Amino acid sequence: MNRLTNKHIILGVSGSISAYKAPDIVRRLQDLGAQVKVILTEAGAKFITELCLQSISKNKVHHNLWDENAELGMGHIELAKWADAILIAPASANTIANIALGKANDLLSSVILANDAPLLIAPAMNLKMYQSHTLQDNLSTLISHHTIIIRPESGKQACGDIGIGRLAEPSSIAKQVAKQFISTKLTGKKVLITLGATIEAIDPVRFISNHSSGKMGMALVNACIESGASVTCIYGNITTTLNAKSNNISIVSAQQMYTKVMDNIAGQNIFIACAAVSDFSVKNASNQKIKKDGGDLTLELVPNKDILADVCKLKEKPICMGFAAETQNMLKNAQKKLKNKGCDVIILNKVSSADSGFNVDENEVIFLSQNLNKKIGKNSKQKVAKKILEIFIKECL
Ligand code: PMT
């Protein structure tokens, strides 16, 4: 199982002869599923070329604190936001001193100050430099700031000395980065999630929709990604922010959501239907704005295809989790949906109170499967999503 699936790692390469091992470190991180961006310090560039690291990482190599091409001109902030962890390998004595002092005099040190993700440092230098009191004091300072030090190895050094100071092996460095992330049974799984409200046109101006904000579905997207899953997110009308790490596909109507789900369902391990899909669309929606003429207007509605039910009927069916938005006879209706749609799990969501369900930040639900009826008490949608996944993993994987 790839422990770094979906993870964004920044590799800082500073001035040491062992910078020649940096491309191998990039490869080992990629082998574990990570995306890697490299920051090359001025001294690092004396030992390894930008072109080499760019070719291996398949990303632009960053070195300039004053990058005019960066969005808003603040490249260090953009990179800091992108990173799930920062690794400096090799870390020179000078770079270690800079970071221990909290300096922000180049791109690498600035990104580190602007990031609160795990920081790992793999020192590499001459043994006397490594054993010096100053270097050891700087490492102690960094450890007290929760930096993880990947100890160098002993052996023959480039300068001819023999002793401690050689950069740790690339595969061992990559494994230590992976250890920072929890592996669950969702790691490496493919999950397709629908969320938000569909919009059914009446005419070019008016439509039928509902109050879904996409917040509950997005909390599930985020929780799945945190657990190492690869997520495809098919979303309708939402008021929440998308996760840049999922494959995001926008739709408007229930029919479009149906098509996109069916186009993307092959190979998915799990399907989560959190979208509030309109059960009906308008037959013969008008191409022109309908004019009022003083009389009644009758709209003829036709049923939409049931996405969840049809996914559950597929020959190669993923494990399916549906939601049931209910206002009355809740348990009975939700159990009926579990059975009739043929899904493995239904999350019963009461939507008649103003402080949970649609378009608010909190929710309370019941996890229903053939063998289980478990209440998840009122909490933020993020916490409810994590609890849903915890039970799902235990029950269904
Ligand atoms: O988005 P938020 O504001 O955070 O609100 C979250 C939510 C209340 C929308 C969400 O938690 C929720 O309950 N979503 C399901 C809404 C819904 O459409 O429920 P339903 O009982 O009508 O449908 C049952 C299931 O069938 C759902 O999984 C739905 O996605 C699916 N369905 C319904 C109709 C249809 N044509 N195709 C479907 O796949």
Side-chain angles (χ1 to χ4, degrees):
M1 208 61 80
N2 289 350
R3 292 275 294 272
L4 291 174
T5 307
N6 292 330
K7 298 296 177 220
H8 291 171
I9 311 298
I10 285 183
L11 172 64
V13 179
S14 62
S16 155
I17 179 65
S18 57
Y20 80 89
K21 291 185 182 171
D24 199 19
I25 297 171
V26 174
R27 273 276 156 81
R28 301 291 77 85
L29 291 167
Q30 289 169 334
D31 287 348
L32 296 175
Q35 281 187 55
V36 183
K37 287 187 180 177
V38 177
I39 298 179
L40 188 57
T41 68
E42 200 181 334
K46 306 267 184 226
F47 295 94
I48 182 107
T49 68
E50 190 176 323
L51 186 63
C52 169
L53 291 163
Q54 184 172 307
S55 308
I56 302 278
S57 69
K58 299 189 175 59
N59 278 311
K60 178 183 165 200
V61 170
H62 301 263
H63 48 76
N64 187 0
L65 183 56
W66 313 108
D67 183 357
E68 284 164 10
N69 294 325
E71 199 184 322
L72 306 173
M74 289 182 281
H76 58 299
I77 304 292
E78 285 167 36
L79 281 167
K81 283 187 180 159
W82 181 85
D84 293 309
I86 301 178
L87 163 69
I88 308 180
S92 67
N94 182 54
T95 292
I96 291 170
N98 264 346
I99 296 162
L101 283 173
K103 284 198 168 186
N105 56 350
D106 65 3
L107 182 61
L108 182 59
S109 52
S110 304
V111 168
I112 286 166
L113 273 188
N115 185 287
D116 53 9
L119 171 64
L120 299 97
I121 286 185
M125 64 199 72
N126 167 270
L127 80 137
K128 290 274 190 271
M129 290 171 82
Y130 183 71
Q131 287 166 337
S132 72
H133 289 303
T134 326
L135 190 278
Q136 289 302 318
D137 285 351
N138 286 337
L139 289 181
S140 300
T141 303
L142 290 172
I143 289 168
S144 73
H145 297 166
H146 308 293
T147 301
I148 296 130
I149 310 296
I150 303 172
R151 298 276 163 205
E153 294 177 357
S154 279
K156 187 159 185 205
Q157 303 200 308
C159 55
D161 289 349
I162 295 174
I164 191 156
R166 281 162 54 128
L167 182 68
E169 276 310 306
S171 56
S172 145
I173 292 175
K175 275 186 204 149
Q176 302 230 33
V177 176
K179 266 197 204 159
Q180 306 313 310
F181 301 98
I182 309 156
S183 174
T184 72
K185 283 190 177 170
L186 269 184
T187 308
K189 293 271 189 283
K190 291 180 82 180
V191 185
L192 193 155
I193 304 183
T194 66
L195 57 103
T198 62
I199 289 182
E200 310 303 322
I202 295 171
D203 66 17
V205 179
R206 306 171 182 98
F207 56 80
I208 298 171
S209 190
N210 58 67
H211 300 291
S212 174
S213 60
K215 287 179 184 174
M216 187 65 236
M218 199 53 74
L220 284 159
V221 168
N222 296 340
C224 285
I225 287 173
E226 265 175 42
S227 302
S230 293
V231 178
T232 299
C233 162
I234 300 184
Y235 65 100
N237 194 31
I238 57 171
T239 59
T240 187
T241 314
L242 291 168
N243 189 319
K245 291 186 191 169
S246 49
N247 169 25
N248 298 314
I249 301 170
S250 160
I251 58 89
V252 177
S253 65
Q255 178 55 49
Q256 285 173 7
M257 183 172 271
Y258 186 95
T259 307
K260 290 293 178 191
V261 168
M262 292 308 169
D263 284 352
N264 287 278
I265 200 70
Q268 300 289 342
N269 304 108
I270 297 160
F271 175 56
I272 302 179
C274 190
V277 186
S278 178
D279 288 322
F280 299 95
S281 54
V282 179
K283 190 175 184 186
N284 303 325
S286 173
N287 290 329
Q288 303 298 331
K289 184 179 174 191
I290 301 170
K291 296 288 174 200
K292 61 181 175 196
D293 61 6
D296 292 350
L297 173 69
T298 304
L299 292 175
E300 193 176 346
L301 301 179
V302 289
N304 284 326
K305 285 193 272 190
D306 192 311
I307 307 166
L308 176 58
D310 282 2
V311 170
C312 291
K313 280 184 208 137
L314 292 174
K315 226 171 165 191
E316 307 266 320
K317 166 190 163 296
I319 305 172
C320 292
M321 179 197 294
F323 273 70
E326 302 295 343
T327 57
Q328 58 180 338
N329 298 326
M330 293 189 295
L331 192 58
K332 212 168 141 209
N333 284 338
Q335 277 164 340
K336 218 158 119 189
K337 280 178 186 165
L338 179 71
K339 187 162 173 256
N340 292 351
K341 292 187 188 243
C343 43
D344 304 276
V345 173
I346 277 279
I347 306 297
L348 165 53
N349 204 160
K350 181 179 165 195
V351 287
S352 50
S353 56
D355 57 355
S356 76
F358 281 120
N359 201 15
V360 286
D361 293 334
E362 295 196 317
N363 211 359
E364 59 179 314
V365 300
I366 297 177
F367 186 107
L368 286 176
S369 67
Q370 254 186 346
N371 310 315
L372 198 70
N373 173 334
K374 199 168 172 61
K375 185 173 170 164
I376 300 175
K378 193 149 160 220
N379 215 320
S380 68
K381 284 183 174 168
Q382 282 75 16
K383 291 231 167 87
V384 170
K386 282 187 180 154
K387 193 73 200 165
I388 289 173
L389 287 188
E390 191 186 304
I391 303 172
F392 177 78
I393 288 169
K394 224 185 265 170
E395 288 296 308
C396 305
L397 294 183

